[in-house]
Amino acid sequence: MTSPRTDAPVLEVTDLVKHFSTGSGFRSGSGVVRAVDGVSFTIGPGEILGLVGESGSGKSTVGRCVTRLVEPTSGSIKLLGTEISSLSRRAMRPLRRQVHIVFQDPYSSLNPRMTIGQIVAEPMRLHGTAKGAALDERVDEMLEKCGLRSELRDRFPHEMSGGQRQRVGLARALALEPSLVIADEPVSALDVSVQASILNLITDLQRDLGFSCLFITHDLSVVEYISDAIAVMYLGKIVERTSREKLFRDPQMPYTQSLLTAAPVPDPVAQRERTRVVLRGDLPSPLDPPSGCPFHTRCPVAVERCTVEVPPLVGVTEPDHLVACHLVDRETGAPDIAAAAAAQGAEAGAGLQTGARRPA
Amino acid sequence: MTTTVSERVPTGPASDALLSVQDLHIRFSTEDGPVHAVNGVSFDLAAGEILALVGESGCGKSVTAMSVPGLLSPNATVDGRILLQGRDLLGLSAKELRAVRGKEISFVFQEPMSSLNPAFTVGKQIREVLQRHEGLSKKAAHERAVDLLRLVRIPAPERRVDEYPHQMSGGMRQRVMIAIAVACGPKVLVADEPTTALDVTIQAGVLDILRGLRDELGTAIILITHDLGVVADLADRVVVMYAGRPVEQAEVHELFAHPQHPYTNGLLGAVPHREKGVELVAGRRLREIPGLVPSLRSDPDECVFAPRCPRSTEVCVSRRPPLEPTRPHHPAACFHPGEDE
């Protein structure tokens, strides 16, 4: 409601880099974890961008850089047109009400010594947006919006279930009507039936309040449900970014394809008919990322060029379908990794050695 | 590996059951009084069958599975019968149980980070089982350990066998856990949320290994999970649990195609997923199950799902619905069974 109704992006991130140094201070620079390694994206007003990746891909670090919970190493972060990556804490403070974060773990992200009412009121108190009776009223309103009875305001977090706590986290995050909400795996710790109600709630609130959202998750079915656009991260880099429809209709990056086929669908007929691709190996260490394309060590279709040359994130088949892969071709489109993996599987022999299941 | 169900799934009576759990009741005594964790669970597991116990946190699925190898804490009271090839495990002494555990029944836990001993190499931890149960020499056990690591598809097993758990990734540790669990060729493997802590691309590999164990070694698996995708992928038969009670039990295709219990219907509707040929519409509402899971302090004589159930009527709160077939080989504990919509 207070979010600006213009087409200017709410968030504009350019070449964001965050390196963590490890080890004793002796030879600093020897151990550098490249958690985020040159990430760029924009989020328009009212847009939900799903940032997808597995553990260690750097997706949460991006969220924390955007809220300045960790200091970015380099790159630009523009919130509502203001460059915030180099702002001092004091100068950042008025902008804090424009961006809020909801964390994954509803058990550790609420102060156990504060009542629900105090937790929701705190941001409004700190920013001085409401006082006294008006503040109380606003807390009740926020709790109600998030599906909690206002009687719960005198309870403590430990008296509530995981789903209720996540609703409190949302009420708190939205109390100041921020332009941007960072949701870091907000439903991962919840049971499916509770997860459904929180996802419904986020969709409803987004429609009513119009905030933009960076929705960080490892679960593709959740981003498919909630996002307008999707960015897939692997080892600190965005490897594919496009609209939801395009990503699910035509996943181009081999990593995206393998993520899509690896997630089992709750339908035994469909699930057992699918050709799945099981990637070999594990995520390489971000301390020592592979040369060239970061995915080439696990990619079933990698060629020599992938091991030396870093693929740029560009639109190959369409200008708004960005992908970082040498093998995506303007004419023939993306490589079919299912076929490639099936061929490799057949070579390796049947039984326990095959990665891919034969198509039915 | 694309076996059809009819080849695999014995839907017949208990006669060919490898493991038979009958009318299992588990109660924990706590400072605040008893907790009725499991109330009347029965199932049969045939050789080479994968049976999934499905439900949300607190439904009693893990407690049920842990009671099979006798791994519950001392404040638990277990009633009923757990028959492994006709022998009642509940009557065994601690010493007799130790001989069963690891050899005839073994288990894989959810948390691969904390279930291995950080102070020993993975090779030593695999050898331990083999030397204890099979009486192998250290050298023979070592060779077998390398074979087992190869079986669970750990690359370079000759080198990996001498590594410590902290040198391995989560997916790799879970494979080591599976290697230890199957070292003695158990008849039954209990896998408690074996892939929940893993990334999807790693999960797919672990599920394939479990399927491979069943296909190649004929291991029967009790799979405990909350993930209906994993169930659809791997299970032959499913028991859905709610608040300590079994509410529905069926062959996997039958269950997903014709869910009878309103709770099962609710669970299936709550998962965001693309239906076949239908594009998922953003903002399409997911099914919610209103209300909260009831307290397990009592075991009331009524349907435990009634307070959250859209179909609930007077009869639901007057007595407990029996778990009876509503379709062939498909029992559901509901007075108003059937599919939604």
Side-chain angles (χ1 to χ4, degrees):
Chain A
M1 289 174 183
T2 54
S3 61
R5 287 281 175 208
T6 60
D7 281 343
V10 170
L11 180 71
E12 206 173 350
V13 173
T14 318
D15 283 329
L16 180 69
V17 173
K18 176 63 194 177
H19 290 176
F20 294 99
S21 53
T22 61
S24 61
F26 263 105
R27 279 186 303 166
S28 60
S30 62
V32 173
V33 177
R34 298 163 182 275
V36 177
D37 211 8
V39 160
S40 306
F41 59 87
T42 57
I43 303 181
E47 187 183 27
I48 301 185
L49 174 72
L51 189 60
V52 190
E54 296 183 286
S55 24
S57 62
K59 56 190 191 303
S60 289
T61 307
V62 169
R64 274 149 212 247
C65 284
V66 169
T67 46
R68 291 282 303 277
L69 288 177
V70 298
E71 293 297 314
T73 305
S74 68
S76 144
I77 303 167
K78 277 188 182 164
L79 180 65
L80 299 168
T82 312
E83 175 63 51
I84 62 163
S85 58
S86 52
L87 281 188
S88 68
R89 280 175 167 275
R90 182 182 294 270
M92 179 72 198
R93 195 163 297 155
L95 278 163
R96 285 243 174 249
R97 45 182 301 191
Q98 295 298 342
V99 50
H100 245 288
I101 189 163
V102 180
F103 294 100
Q104 167 171 3
D105 186 352
Y107 293 88
S108 61
S109 53
L110 302 177
N111 187 337
R113 293 177 171 232
M114 287 166 83
T115 64
I116 300 310
Q118 288 169 330
I119 289 171
V120 176
E122 192 181 31
M124 295 184 278
R125 209 163 41 75
L126 291 179
H127 285 275
T129 57
K131 270 188 190 152
L135 180 62
D136 285 348
E137 210 169 283
R138 181 90 180 112
V139 168
D140 287 351
E141 185 193 335
M142 284 318 297
L143 287 177
E144 226 153 273
K145 266 202 180 110
C146 293
L148 294 168
R149 280 171 292 119
S150 54
E151 299 97 272
L152 293 174
R153 58 181 303 155
D154 297 322
R155 299 272 186 90
F156 286 91
H158 75 264
E159 297 173 271
M160 312 190 88
S161 70
Q164 284 178 319
R165 287 182 216 207
Q166 212 53 314
R167 288 171 189 268
V168 173
L170 272 169
R172 174 188 166 91
L174 297 173
L176 292 169
E177 302 198 343
S179 311
L180 177 67
V181 174
I182 314 286
D184 190 356
E185 301 266 17
V187 297
S188 308
L190 305 174
D191 273 323
V192 277
S193 67
V194 184
Q195 173 179 321
S197 65
I198 298 292
L199 286 175
N200 282 339
L201 177 65
I202 294 176
T203 329
D204 292 349
L205 290 170
Q206 200 277 333
R207 197 185 46 231
D208 294 348
L209 303 174
F211 53 85
S212 306
C213 182
L214 177 64
F215 195 98
I216 299 165
T217 181
H218 69 281
D219 188 337
L220 277 164
S221 59
V222 169
V223 283
E224 184 177 14
Y225 172 72
I226 209 161
S227 317
D228 302 309
I230 295 171
V232 180
M233 275 190 85
Y234 187 79
L235 270 190
K237 290 191 163 71
I238 289 181
V239 294
E240 186 159 2
R241 175 156 67 84
T242 184
S243 69
R244 182 178 61 96
E245 291 78 16
K246 284 183 181 155
L247 189 98
F248 282 94
R249 197 178 55 222
D250 177 27
Q252 298 189 339
M253 173 72 187
Y255 177 63
T256 314
Q257 293 183 35
S258 63
L259 268 186
L260 280 172
T261 66
V265 294
D267 175 349
V269 181
Q271 174 61 18
R272 287 166 202 221
E273 274 174 3
R274 293 194 324 160
T275 310
R276 295 180 316 148
V277 178
V278 177
L279 294 178
R280 53 179 182 238
D282 289 311
L283 193 75
S285 164
L287 264 169
D288 180 21
S291 61
C293 172
F295 187 57
H296 84 254
T297 55
R298 302 171 74 194
C299 183
V301 292
V303 296
E304 206 184 335
R305 184 181 175 202
C306 307
T307 65
V308 284
E309 201 182 316
V310 181
L313 183 68
V314 289
V316 180
T317 55
E318 284 169 286
D320 61 346
H321 191 153
L322 305 181
V323 60
C325 179
H326 294 306
L327 300 170
V328 179
D329 187 86
R330 185 188 295 273
E331 306 296 322
T332 57
D336 181 0
I337 67 159
Q344 281 175 9
E347 263 168 51
L352 278 181
Q353 294 305 314
T354 33
R357 262 197 293 168
R358 273 169 254 132
Chain B
M1 286 199 220
T2 48
T3 35
T4 58
V5 185
S6 50
E7 292 169 317
R8 285 275 170 219
V9 181
T11 38
S15 57
D16 58 347
L18 172 66
L19 180 78
S20 178
V21 172
Q22 298 171 1
D23 200 26
L24 187 72
H25 289 260
I26 301 173
R27 206 175 62 234
F28 290 94
S29 45
T30 68
E31 283 177 13
D32 304 327
V35 173
H36 300 263
V38 174
N39 300 304
V41 171
S42 302
F43 58 82
D44 289 333
L45 181 71
E49 184 181 28
I50 301 180
L51 176 79
L53 298 183
V54 187
E56 300 182 286
S57 330
C59 72
K61 56 190 192 297
S62 290
V63 173
T64 300
M66 287 301 114
S67 71
V68 173
L71 285 178
L72 295 175
S73 56
N75 64 338
T77 318
V78 185
D79 289 316
R81 301 212 297 167
I82 300 174
L83 303 175
L84 180 68
Q85 293 182 311
R87 185 160 69 135
D88 195 345
L89 298 182
L90 290 179
L92 297 189
S93 69
K95 193 177 167 203
E96 288 169 315
L97 260 181
R98 270 202 299 277
V100 172
R101 275 187 219 135
K103 172 118 177 86
E104 292 177 70
I105 299 179
S106 60
F107 19 86
V108 176
F109 300 105
Q110 170 172 353
E111 193 46 77
M113 303 298 160
S114 59
S115 38
L116 288 169
N117 188 331
F120 296 112
T121 64
V122 299
K124 183 171 170 57
Q125 297 183 57
I126 303 175
R127 286 202 305 270
E128 186 185 2
V129 202
L130 291 163
Q131 289 172 292
R132 182 181 177 93
H133 285 298
E134 308 276 306
L136 293 187
S137 70
K138 191 177 168 191
K139 187 161 175 293
H142 181 83
E143 280 167 18
R144 180 96 179 92
V146 174
D147 286 345
L148 284 163
L149 290 181
R150 192 172 292 123
L151 178 78
V152 293
R153 289 187 227 145
I154 287 189
E158 299 83 0
R159 185 166 55 80
R160 288 290 188 174
V161 74
D162 292 322
E163 287 190 356
Y164 288 88
H166 76 267
Q167 294 169 288
M168 299 187 150
S169 66
M172 204 99 83
R173 283 183 231 194
Q174 196 60 297
R175 289 167 196 220
V176 170
M177 280 305 297
I178 295 174
I180 294 174
V182 301
C184 300
K187 300 183 184 91
V188 179
L189 177 68
V190 178
D192 188 359
E193 302 269 11
T195 59
T196 304
L198 306 176
D199 281 321
V200 279
T201 58
I202 307 295
Q203 162 173 295
V206 171
L207 293 179
D208 271 356
I209 289 170
L210 290 174
R211 190 183 354 262
L213 292 175
R214 190 276 299 275
D215 289 348
E216 315 225 327
L217 308 177
T219 315
I221 300 175
I222 300 180
L223 175 74
I224 296 128
T225 183
H226 69 281
D227 186 333
L228 292 165
V230 171
V231 174
D233 187 60
L234 202 59
D236 298 319
R237 220 150 42 84
V238 188
V239 178
V240 182
M241 291 186 65
Y242 180 77
R245 293 186 193 172
V247 295
E248 186 162 4
Q249 187 169 336
E251 188 274 319
V252 64
H253 290 86
E254 163 75 14
L255 185 89
F256 280 82
H258 307 287
Q260 296 294 300
H261 198 281
Y263 178 64
T264 316
N265 278 293
L267 273 187
L268 286 170
V271 189
H273 77 289
R274 266 181 298 178
E275 282 144 44
K276 242 182 310 174
V278 181
E279 196 123 332
L280 188 73
V281 185
R284 180 201 71 166
R285 292 189 72 76
L286 297 166
R287 277 279 296 281
E288 296 178 25
I289 303 177
L292 297 172
V293 177
S295 150
L296 297 170
R297 297 269 166 224
S298 63
D299 181 21
D301 225 7
E302 57 183 41
C303 174
V304 277
F305 189 61
R308 304 174 71 186
C309 183
R311 302 180 198 166
S312 125
T313 58
E314 244 168 61
V315 65
C316 304
V317 290
S318 66
R319 59 196 175 90
R320 179 190 297 233
L323 187 66
E324 280 171 355
T326 55
R327 291 167 54 88
H329 306 295
H330 186 163
C334 183
F335 292 115
H336 311 288
E339 294 156 54
D340 278 353
E341 279 131 317

